[in-house]
Amino acid sequence: MSAAAAESPPRPLIRLLPETTANRIAAGEVVERPAAAVKEIVENALDAGATRVSVVLEGGGMDRILVEDDGAGMGADELALAVQRHATSKLPEEAMLFRIATLGFRGEALPSIGAVARLAITSRPREGAAHRIAVEGGHVGSVAPAAGAPGTRVEVRDLFFATPARRKFLRHPRTEAEHAIEAVRRLALAWPAVAFRVESDGREALSLPATDAEGRIRQVLGPDFAAAAVPVEAVGVSLDLFGLAALPSYTRPTTVAQHLVVNRRPVRDPLLRVALRVAYRDLIPHGRHPAAALFLEIPPEMLDVNVHPMKTELRFREGEAVRGAVISALRRAVSVGAGAAVAVASIAPVAWSAPSAAPGVAAWG
């Protein structure tokens, strides 16, 4: 063997990634499919105090996503910052990171979307002029004057055109559209005072006028669930639980009818899902799943919402206490409801008091 062949390969040097590459890597965590982009943009709209949110999908969101809201809007300077990584209005100080009270706060969504798609944002504050900025494959344009109503209009075209390998992993447009619609539906359940509308390829797929919490549950889960549901309530020092849970006679083959909301954030948290399953374990057949819409209010400092890129899982400071409280409240509600069902042929729709709405945040990011 020659001396040259025996030599070790050159050691790769540590270097900073180009900003465009870094944004595309971040996009792989934040924007896994069109539904994720829709979720992030709608969350920004809700944090900005929107009372109406409209979503348009074309080609399942792969060809085009349009989200319009009537929220606080942004001025020209804020618009330029909104497409930069880690720029946000929702962390005025570092200590707020440990008591998050908004849906979005990482400041990654818009630059991540702009890194892999053609992104255009037009925004106008309630007292001010409208401006527009465009980002294409990570290349940021200049802020320019535009025409537009108060609020923000976000248009995403050709999602993943800059990362075609990722686009190949997407499903059929109809499937992607269903995921996006479901993402909006779950946010709508958590924000009943906001009107939502979704259009997919020219067809109205979702229309939810503003209502109260019970009305939104009826809109989302349907009258059959409402008729079979009983109120769930537990009030404690560090946890308030409200909602509706179906009696054991009303089950589903999947967990799609399980809606969990913590501090107005829809989640798919494993701890809460286990609590729901345990509460019904001896009451429903194997392979069937309970249906419920549960709303938890917990002091923000008692949970960490920053443990998952999509912010769909949480870490509770007192996880076992939360789990126990949810199981106890569900068992108590179902037990009382089942007794009433025996005494009365049917259960009338119930009324319950949801936690009061949290105020919106005045800007995007």
Side-chain angles (χ1 to χ4, degrees), residues 70-264:
D70 64 346
M74 293 173 282
D77 292 343
E78 291 176 296
L79 193 56
L81 285 174
V83 294
Q84 302 296 322
R85 289 189 72 198
H86 310 311
T88 181
S89 63
K90 302 165 190 176
L91 289 176
E93 57 184 21
E94 185 176 351
M96 290 293 293
L97 187 61
F98 304 102
R99 51 178 190 275
I100 297 294
T102 58
L103 295 174
F105 56 88
R106 293 168 178 260
E108 292 180 335
L110 295 178
S112 294
I113 295 170
V116 296
R118 295 181 172 91
L119 170 69
I121 308 172
T122 302
S123 193
R124 176 183 166 187
R126 294 190 176 107
E127 296 182 2
H131 290 82
R132 181 181 185 275
I133 191 170
V135 185
E136 184 167 327
H139 301 288
V140 181
S142 301
V143 176
T152 301
R153 181 181 192 272
V154 181
E155 185 175 35
V156 181
R157 289 186 177 271
D158 302 327
L159 188 62
F160 300 128
F161 90 92
T163 52
R166 177 171 292 275
R167 188 175 176 111
K168 293 177 182 178
F169 283 90
L170 297 179
R171 309 290 293 275
H172 188 277
R174 182 179 299 173
T175 302
E176 294 298 337
E178 290 172 354
H179 283 285
I181 295 165
E182 179 63 18
V184 177
R185 185 180 288 113
R186 289 185 175 274
L187 283 166
L189 186 67
W191 295 77
V194 178
F196 292 84
R197 182 180 183 276
V198 180
E199 178 185 303
S200 179
D201 290 328
R203 178 184 62 87
E204 185 176 81
L206 191 68
S207 179
L208 302 174
T211 182
D212 57 16
E214 184 185 353
R216 184 53 56 85
I217 291 176
R218 288 174 176 277
Q219 291 173 348
V220 173
L221 276 77
D224 290 346
F225 168 82
V230 293
V232 180
E233 183 175 0
V235 179
V237 175
S238 59
L239 180 148
D240 289 348
L241 170 64
F242 304 84
L244 297 176
L247 291 171
S249 57
Y250 182 95
T251 61
R252 286 290 175 262
T254 69
T255 60
V256 69
Q258 295 178 4
H259 295 263
L260 306 169
V261 178
V262 179
N263 292 1
R264 310 200 75 186

Side-chain angles (χ1 to χ4, degrees), residues 25-50:
I25 292 173
E29 294 184 344
V30 178
V31 191
E32 59 179 341
R33 67 192 321 164
V38 170
K39 172 181 175 290
E40 295 285 349
I41 298 170
V42 172
E43 284 182 349
N44 274 343
L46 294 170
D47 279 339

